Amino acid sequence: MENENISKQQQINDEQMDLSEQIEKTSSSTATKGKYTIHCLTIVGQIEGHYILPPQNKTTKYEHVIPQLVAIAQDPEIEGLIIILNTVGGDVEAGLAISELIAGMKKPTVSIVLGGGHSIGVPLACSAKVSYIVPSATMTVHPVRMNGVVLGIPQTLSYFDKMQERIVRFVSENSNISPKRFRELMTATGELVMDVGTVLDGESAVKEGLIDHLGGLSDAISMLYKLIDEEKAKNKPVSKTKPRKRGENK
């Protein structure tokens, strides 16, 4: 009996060690003790794209997130995905790439914005099937910007315009905001110092249709469980009743 207890404790310790290692290496975790097995993916700090950011920056590297999403989509044991967002934005193309992958997943997905979901964090928040935001969180909507040397030629402006159109189209297709209203928020003046755009708190983000619901972690997990229930009910095989032959007893 004592050996059994030691073995169980050792197993628990090993599981906790594996979970701690997973969180440390990938900033994600797979919860298996709840009603369903769900994967938690965190997108924090700045989205790092084609260029390596300074070591003091807190980053989410897209070359780490993309293989994770493919693995989640292929793993039959993982039944749902929750995305935790607290990001200042970052590389536009990397953010859009991650957003498109999440939006294209068949598994139930729920996102929740904590702290901030700024800039390219807006499409990331909208990419899940259902999105949440806590009341104290904020989202900044602004036009595409680029740091460093920029050539002042018509082709550069055309590139910015096309990039911006990609963001507008994705957000409007994956949320309840119209393209016209989203552009208005992007180009609003008087809201940001030295820039154009709009800052939305949690309630305003829901009111504008960018985010589906105002709520916390328990609300997001409850919704994810509901989506998993619906997915299981949809995929449940329908039992066909064999027709009775004439003269058979009921």
Side-chain angles (χ1 to χ4, degrees), residues 21-76:
E21 198 174 323
Q22 185 185 14
I23 292 168
E24 190 178 339
K25 284 185 176 179
T26 65
S27 298
S28 65
S29 64
T30 304
T32 58
K33 306 281 186 185
K35 183 181 177 183
Y36 295 116
T37 299
I38 63 172
H39 188 89
C40 171
L41 174 69
T42 57
I43 297 176
V44 297
Q46 199 165 346
I47 312 298
E48 188 178 270
H50 304 303
Y51 298 97
I52 297 172
L53 293 169
Q56 68 268 21
N57 286 34
K58 181 85 65 181
T59 62
T60 296
K61 300 176 187 294
Y62 84 120
E63 71 269 25
H64 292 175
V65 176
I66 287 173
Q68 275 189 71
L69 290 171
V70 174
I72 292 161
Q74 291 293 307
D75 192 337

Side-chain angles (χ1 to χ4, degrees), residues 149-163:
V149 179
V150 177
L151 295 176
I153 54 176
Q155 289 90 333
T156 302
L157 297 175
S158 175
Y159 171 77
F160 279 177
D161 191 51
K162 286 176 182 176
M163 182 70 75

Side-chain angles (χ1 to χ4, degrees), residues 34-127:
K35 183 181 177 183
Y36 295 116
T37 299
I38 63 172
H39 188 89
C40 171
L41 174 69
T42 57
I43 297 176
V44 297
Q46 199 165 346
I47 312 298
E48 188 178 270
H50 304 303
Y51 298 97
I52 297 172
L53 293 169
Q56 68 268 21
N57 286 34
K58 181 85 65 181
T59 62
T60 296
K61 300 176 187 294
Y62 84 120
E63 71 269 25
H64 292 175
V65 176
I66 287 173
Q68 275 189 71
L69 290 171
V70 174
I72 292 161
Q74 291 293 307
D75 192 337
E77 291 184 4
I78 296 175
E79 296 163 293
L81 171 67
I82 184 166
I83 304 114
I84 310 289
L85 285 153
N86 186 10
T87 176
V88 294
D91 189 284
V92 173
E93 289 196 338
L96 273 178
I98 295 168
S99 301
E100 289 284 9
L101 275 179
I102 295 169
M105 292 179 75
K106 287 185 177 179
K107 288 187 178 182
T109 54
V110 171
S111 67
I112 178 168
V113 180
L114 303 168
H118 307 293
S119 190
I120 200 62
V122 175
L124 284 163
C126 297
S127 63

Side-chain angles (χ1 to χ4, degrees), residues 132-133 201-215:
Y132 280 85
I133 187 169
D201 60 16
E203 194 174 339
S204 301
V206 174
K207 188 178 177 182
E208 291 287 355
L210 269 179
I211 301 295
D212 297 320
H213 305 288
L214 199 67

Side-chain angles (χ1 to χ4, degrees), residues 2-3 16 20 31 55 72 79 81 84 97 105 107-108 115 120 125 138 142-143 145 149 160 205 227-228 230 249:
E2 189 179 340
N3 289 338
Q16 288 175 344
S20 298
I72 292 161
E79 296 163 293
L81 171 67
I84 310 289
M105 292 179 75
K107 288 187 178 182
I120 200 62
T138 56
H142 62 72
R145 297 177 299 192
V149 179
F160 279 177
L227 293 176
I228 295 169
E230 289 172 0
N249 293 328

